[in-house]
Amino acid sequence: MSLEENFPILTEKLTKKFDSFTAVNNIDLTIKKGEIFGFLGPNGSGKSTTIKMLCGILEPTSGKASVLGYDVYTDAEKIKERIGYMSQKFSLYEDLTVDENLEFYGGIYQVPSDQIDQRKEFVLEMADLKGRERELTANLSVGWKQRLALGCALLHQPELLFLDEPTSGVDPLSRRHFWDLLNEMAEEGKTIFVTTHYMDEAEYCYRLAFIFEGRIIALGSPQEIKKTMKEKVFQIQCDQIDRAFQILNQFPQLEEVLIHGANIHIVGAKTDLVKNLIPALLKENKINLLQIKSIEPSLEDVFVSLIGREAREKIRKEFLPCEPPLN
Ligand SMILES: Nc1ncnc2c1ncn2[C@@H]1O[C@H](COP(=O)(O)OP(=O)(O)O)[C@@H](O)[C@H]1O
Ligand SMILES: [Mg+2]
């Protein structure tokens, strides 16, 4: 197999500028065939811009990118024919029925007429939309719209799929079901590039990259990324969790305080500070402390810790150019 067959997405220093603003900054990616690759980052970090460049919708400013062996600068039309793309807004026609949306996308993707019925049947089964063919798309729940949009992107059986925040605004059960579908597709050999800002979904990816302010700040499997974390994470169990969070979060020496499910996580603080200060602070405020322990970081902890460090470095560069590093 050639390099392009093993690696359907390859980029080198891929960059997009809007005037003087750099939205995507020197990104290197090597996406393997058959993997679910997650692209995670907060709003405005450059996820959609990256996807649009890879789909041949937006020309890069500089750098290289090949998708299924095609160059994004010169072969954008070929790329568009071969990939599936689900945009952040789902791009469904609300005033068309489910069946009409499928017909429409079948036409766009030039699905041969002797195959369209079979492909529509597959999508209706997958999306659990059997019996709803004549319903107006506007009347579907967000979870169903999401699966219909995925189905539309799959009508022409692409081997590479780009999904831009497919689970935004979708309820947790539908999100779970959606990830099951993605896993089935990856097992069949499809490659999936998916963006999300839900940290819990990062765990479902084979590999992922964290993107922040246009740059990749971590890349690897969830396990590999967790191993890069040097700072300690403490988990606190207590009652009145919201009040406890408010109090701890205001305390300047605790830089990163996060609510994580029913617990609080403290990232990057010194052990003796945590062990002495927190019990005293909580006691003073009549909050019942149940447990403090050092734990394995979650991906969210890693991300917050990296962003914290990145932001600190940026501030240092911008405001203290002559000072030595703080730590
Ligand atoms: N067409 C555009 N013109 C100018 N700025 C843009 C354009 N598209 C995106 N941006 C800016 O680029 C940054 C990254 O945007 P985007 O890729 O949409 O982020 P994300 O998808 O991660 O939320 C944002 O600051 C956004 O405002
Ligand atoms: Mg986006």
Side-chain angles (χ1 to χ4, degrees):
M1 268 209 289
S2 68
L3 191 67
E4 286 82 14
E5 277 175 274
N6 278 317
F7 300 102
I9 304 173
L10 292 165
T11 77
E12 216 182 297
K13 293 191 162 54
L14 189 66
T15 297
K16 181 70 195 180
K17 292 187 181 180
F18 296 109
D19 299 322
S20 61
F21 173 74
T22 306
V24 174
N25 198 346
N26 282 299
I27 281 188
D28 293 335
L29 291 169
T30 310
I31 313 290
K32 296 175 201 160
K33 184 175 164 51
E35 78 174 335
I36 302 180
F37 189 90
F39 210 46
L40 272 90
N43 278 331
S45 51
K47 303 183 296 293
S48 295
T49 306
T50 303
I51 280 207
K52 286 179 200 161
M53 286 192 281
L54 296 176
C55 290
I57 300 167
L58 191 66
E59 182 155 308
T61 308
S62 59
K64 291 185 194 166
S66 103
V67 173
L68 297 170
Y70 297 111
D71 186 303
V72 294
Y73 291 93
T74 53
D75 290 325
E77 290 314 310
K78 294 225 174 62
I79 293 172
K80 284 185 214 161
E81 282 166 23
R82 296 268 311 270
I83 58 159
Y85 168 57
M86 182 172 158
S87 86
Q88 211 169 336
K89 298 265 177 256
F90 294 175
S91 310
L92 294 169
Y93 289 89
E94 298 262 322
D95 54 342
L96 296 186
T97 64
V98 168
D99 184 66
E100 286 164 345
N101 262 305
L102 290 173
E103 277 288 332
F104 177 78
Y105 276 97
I108 287 199
Y109 287 128
Q110 299 176 350
V111 179
S113 53
D114 59 341
Q115 283 175 27
I116 186 69
D117 285 343
Q118 186 205 339
R119 293 304 301 162
K120 282 199 311 195
E121 197 61 22
F122 164 82
V123 167
L124 290 168
E125 287 278 350
M126 178 210 72
D128 226 357
L129 283 165
K130 287 286 281 184
R132 293 180 179 266
E133 295 90 327
R134 319 237 156 272
E135 271 190 38
L136 266 189
T137 302
N139 295 341
L140 300 178
S141 74
V142 185
W144 271 322
K145 278 185 195 160
Q146 170 210 41
R147 279 176 267 158
L148 175 60
L150 176 68
C152 289
L154 289 172
L155 276 170
H156 57 309
Q157 295 180 284
E159 63 206 275
L160 173 60
L161 262 178
F162 289 95
L163 309 174
D164 197 0
E165 298 207 19
T167 54
S168 271
V170 178
D171 66 89
L173 199 68
S174 301
R175 276 168 58 197
R176 185 62 253 190
H177 180 72
F178 189 80
W179 278 93
D180 289 341
L181 285 175
L182 297 191
N183 264 311
E184 283 167 29
M185 289 192 285
E187 274 160 26
E188 287 164 12
K190 288 193 194 300
T191 309
I192 301 170
F193 186 96
V194 54
T195 74
T196 178
H197 62 251
Y198 291 118
M199 283 290 163
D200 57 337
E201 295 185 339
E203 297 279 354
Y204 306 148
C205 301
Y206 298 15
R207 288 193 308 143
L208 56 114
F210 281 151
I211 178 171
F212 182 63
E213 295 181 344
R215 287 189 299 127
I216 289 179
I217 58 172
L219 195 152
S221 69
Q223 216 42 45
E224 284 164 353
I225 288 182
K226 285 178 195 172
K227 278 202 193 117
T228 63
M229 175 101 167
K230 297 201 174 59
E231 296 174 298
K232 275 207 158 152
V233 181
F234 291 92
Q235 178 183 278
I236 297 174
Q237 276 182 295
C238 62
D239 60 13
Q240 306 178 62
I241 182 165
D242 291 326
R243 248 190 88 222
F245 170 75
Q246 299 285 343
I247 291 161
L248 298 176
N249 199 30
Q250 277 169 15
F251 205 80
Q253 278 166 289
L254 301 173
E255 262 180 70
E256 312 292 355
V257 182
L258 306 167
I259 293 206
H260 210 279
N263 304 309
I264 292 175
H265 284 192
I266 307 281
V267 182
K270 295 224 159 48
T271 306
D272 52 346
L273 182 78
V274 170
K275 293 255 156 104
N276 297 318
L277 176 80
I278 290 175
L281 264 179
L282 295 181
K283 195 172 176 196
E284 197 180 300
N285 287 283
K286 301 198 166 47
I287 294 169
N288 205 3
L289 175 63
L290 304 169
Q291 194 185 42
I292 298 188
K293 64 174 179 183
S294 168
I295 55 159
E296 275 260 289
S298 68
L299 283 169
E300 188 171 5
D301 296 329
V302 182
F303 190 52
V304 164
S305 142
L306 285 169
I307 281 188
R309 205 179 301 150
E310 288 269 313
R312 282 199 290 275
E313 276 168 20
K314 192 168 166 237
I315 287 166
R316 210 179 284 151
K317 272 190 210 127
E318 281 174 10
F319 300 111
L320 294 169
C322 304
E323 294 284 317
L326 296 174
N327 49 27

